[in-house]
Amino acid sequence: MGMSDTETGADVRTPEEVENAEQDVVTVTPDDERTGLANRLDAHTGDGIRHRAFTCLLFDEQGRILLAQRAARKRLWDTCWDGTVASHPVEGQSQKEATRERLEEELGISPDQYDDLEVTDRFEYKRYYMNDGVEWEVCAVLQATLTDTSIDPDPDEVGGVLWADYEDLHENPRHYRQLDLCPWFEIAMRRDFE
């Protein structure tokens, strides 16, 4: 009778890793020109593979930013606080299309709650997360203002949400030191105030 992976001590993939291994990301040059596709799990392990990503920062009409905590099930930067939503467009999908889709899936925010979604920046970065993986992305930043701030977070994706004064978050990080921020959000915020 054979032994299971757990009994033999072999690596067992988490549900998040299984999900990632079944998806591709768009590989890109530093200028965000498409070069091909890579398995999503492969792109986030070892030394990583540069790929296309986005982060979206949503604001209310008073200029507060909606932060979302990544769910504990996330393989990388689990329980860290992010801008409103971040992910990867799939082949043939624009940054705006991908952002609209993830806002609806993760936070229940529909396109009729905002009308000014725009790409405001783009940057390349590479960061390792403990011994679990890496992000090497050309990240587009999209921003919009919510005219209707009602949300319905998916607990499989979002651990928590909070509204923060964006300028205060940037200028007084010690006031928010209990929030472990995702690196791509910190970069996007810093660049926003440069």
Side-chain angles (χ1 to χ4, degrees):
M1 214 167 126
M3 294 174 69
S4 72
D5 286 345
T6 306
E7 294 169 322
T8 63
D11 287 338
V12 177
R13 286 189 173 168
T14 66
E16 177 86 0
E17 289 171 324
V18 170
E19 182 183 322
N20 286 346
E22 294 171 351
Q23 300 171 359
D24 287 331
V25 292
V26 178
T27 59
V28 293
T29 67
D31 295 324
D32 200 30
E33 296 295 325
R34 183 193 180 285
T35 59
L37 296 174
N39 177 273
R40 184 172 171 171
L41 189 59
D42 292 343
H44 292 92
T45 54
D47 284 329
I49 302 167
R50 185 191 304 113
H51 58 279
R52 184 173 288 154
F54 67 87
T55 187
C56 177
L57 312 181
L58 288 187
F59 299 89
D60 67 10
E61 293 176 299
Q62 290 73 48
R64 296 180 308 160
I65 186 169
L66 177 60
L67 301 179
Q69 183 184 39
R70 291 168 60 82
R73 79 174 190 96
K74 299 284 188 181
R75 197 174 72 81
L76 303 178
W77 283 275
D78 53 302
T79 71
C80 291
W81 288 85
D82 201 348
T84 311
V85 70
S87 193
H88 311 89
V90 297
E91 177 76 355
Q93 190 178 42
S94 74
Q95 299 285 23
K96 284 186 180 183
E97 290 166 342
T99 300
R100 286 186 190 104
E101 182 178 287
R102 294 309 294 166
L103 284 170
E104 196 141 11
E105 290 173 357
E106 292 190 18
L107 292 159
I109 296 173
S110 61
D112 64 350
Q113 292 177 251
Y114 56 89
D115 61 5
D116 58 346
L117 184 66
E118 294 297 331
V119 175
T120 60
D121 195 10
R122 185 175 277 109
F123 58 86
E124 180 181 355
Y125 77 99
K126 186 175 189 178
R127 295 290 187 282
Y128 290 87
Y129 183 68
M130 298 190 273
N131 293 321
D132 294 332
V134 61
E135 286 287 8
W136 185 9
E137 298 179 333
V138 175
C139 185
V141 180
L142 294 93
Q143 296 188 12
T145 302
L146 286 174
T147 52
D148 171 0
T149 58
S150 57
I151 59 175
D152 182 21
D154 177 351
D156 285 339
E157 298 290 340
V158 179
V161 295
L162 67 84
W163 288 96
D165 182 288
Y166 191 46
E167 190 171 327
D168 190 50
L169 179 64
H170 174 259
E171 291 181 3
N172 298 294
R174 70 186 183 282
H175 296 170
Y176 303 89
R177 63 179 171 257
Q178 74 277 17
L179 302 180
D180 193 5
L181 301 177
C182 294
W184 55 89
F185 170 63
E186 288 186 299
I187 295 167
M189 179 171 55
R190 183 187 73 239
R191 290 170 59 95
D192 218 10
F193 284 95
E194 285 178 350

Coordinates of all heavy atoms in Angstrom, one line a residue, residues 1 5 13 21 41-42 46 51 82 95 105 109 115 119 121 136 141 151 153 176 182 192:
M1 N 0.8 -1.2 0.0 CA 0.0 0.0 0.0 C 0.9 1.2 0.0 O 1.8 1.4 0.8 CB -0.9 0.0 1.2 CG -2.2 0.6 1.0 SD -3.3 0.2 2.4 CE -3.8 1.8 2.7
D5 N 1.4 11.8 -0.1 CA 2.4 12.9 -0.1 C 2.6 13.4 1.3 O 3.8 13.7 1.7 CB 2.0 14.0 -1.0 CG 2.1 13.7 -2.4 OD1 2.8 12.7 -2.7 OD2 1.5 14.4 -3.3
R13 N 0.9 20.9 -2.5 CA 0.5 22.2 -2.9 C -0.8 22.7 -2.2 O -1.7 21.9 -2.0 CB 0.2 22.3 -4.4 CG 1.4 22.2 -5.2 CD 1.1 22.5 -6.7 NE 2.4 22.6 -7.4 CZ 2.4 22.6 -8.8 NH1 1.3 22.5 -9.5 NH2 3.6 22.7 -9.4
A21 N -1.1 27.4 -10.5 CA -0.4 26.5 -11.4 C -1.3 26.2 -12.6 O -0.8 25.8 -13.7 CB 0.0 25.2 -10.7
L41 N 2.5 30.1 -11.4 CA 3.3 29.7 -10.2 C 4.8 29.8 -10.5 O 5.6 30.2 -9.7 CB 2.9 28.2 -9.9 CG 3.5 27.7 -8.6 CD1 3.1 28.5 -7.4 CD2 3.1 26.2 -8.4
D42 N 5.2 29.4 -11.7 CA 6.6 29.5 -12.1 C 7.1 31.0 -12.1 O 8.2 31.2 -11.7 CB 6.8 29.0 -13.6 CG 6.6 27.5 -13.7 OD1 6.6 26.8 -12.6 OD2 6.4 27.0 -14.8
G46 N 11.4 30.8 -7.4 CA 12.8 30.9 -7.8 C 13.2 32.4 -8.0 O 12.9 33.2 -7.1
H51 N 6.5 39.8 -15.4 CA 5.2 39.7 -16.0 C 4.4 41.0 -15.7 O 4.7 41.8 -14.9 CB 4.5 38.5 -15.5 CG 4.4 38.4 -14.0 ND1 5.4 38.0 -13.1 CD2 3.3 38.8 -13.1 CE1 5.0 38.1 -11.9 NE2 3.8 38.6 -11.9
D82 N -3.0 46.0 1.1 CA -2.8 46.4 -0.3 C -3.6 47.7 -0.6 O -4.5 48.1 0.2 CB -3.2 45.3 -1.2 CG -2.6 45.3 -2.6 OD1 -2.0 46.3 -2.9 OD2 -2.7 44.3 -3.3
Q95 N -5.6 46.3 -19.0 CA -5.5 46.6 -17.6 C -6.8 47.0 -17.0 O -7.2 46.6 -15.9 CB -4.4 47.7 -17.4 CG -3.0 47.3 -17.9 CD -2.3 46.3 -16.9 OE1 -2.9 45.6 -16.2 NE2 -1.0 46.3 -17.0
E105 N -15.1 40.9 -8.5 CA -14.9 39.5 -7.9 C -14.5 39.6 -6.4 O -15.0 38.9 -5.5 CB -13.9 38.7 -8.6 CG -14.3 38.3 -10.0 CD -13.2 37.6 -10.8 OE1 -12.1 37.6 -10.4 OE2 -13.6 37.2 -11.9
I109 N -17.6 45.5 -6.2 CA -17.7 46.8 -6.7 C -17.9 46.8 -8.2 O -17.1 46.3 -8.9 CB -16.4 47.7 -6.4 CG1 -16.2 47.8 -4.8 CG2 -16.4 49.0 -7.0 CD1 -14.9 48.5 -4.4
D115 N -16.6 56.0 -12.6 CA -16.7 56.2 -14.0 C -15.4 56.9 -14.6 O -15.3 57.2 -15.7 CB -17.9 57.1 -14.5 CG -17.9 58.5 -13.8 OD1 -16.9 58.8 -13.1 OD2 -18.9 59.2 -14.0
V119 N -5.4 54.6 -16.1 CA -4.0 54.2 -15.7 C -3.3 55.5 -15.4 O -3.2 56.4 -16.3 CB -3.4 53.5 -16.9 CG1 -1.9 53.2 -16.6 CG2 -4.1 52.2 -17.2
D121 N 0.0 55.5 -13.8 CA 1.5 55.2 -13.6 C 1.8 53.8 -14.0 O 0.9 53.0 -14.2 CB 1.9 55.5 -12.2 CG 3.4 55.6 -11.9 OD1 4.1 55.7 -12.9 OD2 3.8 55.6 -10.8
W136 N 8.0 39.8 -9.6 CA 8.8 40.6 -10.6 C 7.8 41.1 -11.6 O 7.5 40.4 -12.5 CB 9.9 39.7 -11.1 CG 10.8 40.5 -12.0 CD1 11.0 41.8 -12.2 CD2 11.9 39.9 -12.9 NE1 12.0 42.1 -13.1 CE2 12.5 40.9 -13.5 CE3 12.2 38.6 -13.1 CZ2 13.6 40.7 -14.4 CZ3 13.3 38.3 -14.0 CH2 13.9 39.4 -14.6
V141 N -0.6 51.2 -12.5 CA -1.5 51.8 -11.4 C -2.7 52.4 -12.0 O -2.6 53.2 -12.9 CB -0.7 52.9 -10.6 CG1 -1.5 53.4 -9.5 CG2 0.6 52.3 -10.1
I151 N -19.7 48.1 -0.6 CA -18.8 47.0 -1.0 C -19.3 45.7 -0.4 O -20.0 45.7 0.6 CB -17.3 47.2 -0.6 CG1 -17.2 47.4 0.9 CG2 -16.7 48.4 -1.3 CD1 -15.7 47.5 1.4
P153 N -17.1 42.4 0.3 CA -15.8 41.7 0.1 C -16.0 40.2 0.1 O -16.8 39.6 0.9 CB -15.0 42.1 1.3 CG -15.6 43.4 1.8 CD -17.1 43.3 1.5
Y176 N 0.5 54.3 11.0 CA -0.1 53.1 10.4 C 0.8 51.9 10.5 O 0.7 51.0 9.7 CB -0.5 53.4 8.9 CG -1.4 54.6 8.7 CD1 -0.9 55.9 8.6 CD2 -2.8 54.4 8.8 CE1 -1.8 57.0 8.5 CE2 -3.6 55.5 8.6 CZ -3.1 56.8 8.5 OH -4.0 57.8 8.4
C182 N 1.8 46.0 1.3 CA 2.4 45.3 0.2 C 3.4 46.2 -0.5 O 3.2 47.4 -0.6 CB 1.3 44.9 -0.8 SG 0.2 43.6 -0.2
D192 N 3.2 58.4 -6.4 CA 2.0 59.3 -6.5 C 2.3 60.6 -5.8 O 1.7 61.7 -6.3 CB 0.8 58.6 -5.8 CG -0.5 58.9 -6.6 OD1 -0.4 59.4 -7.7 OD2 -1.6 58.5 -6.0

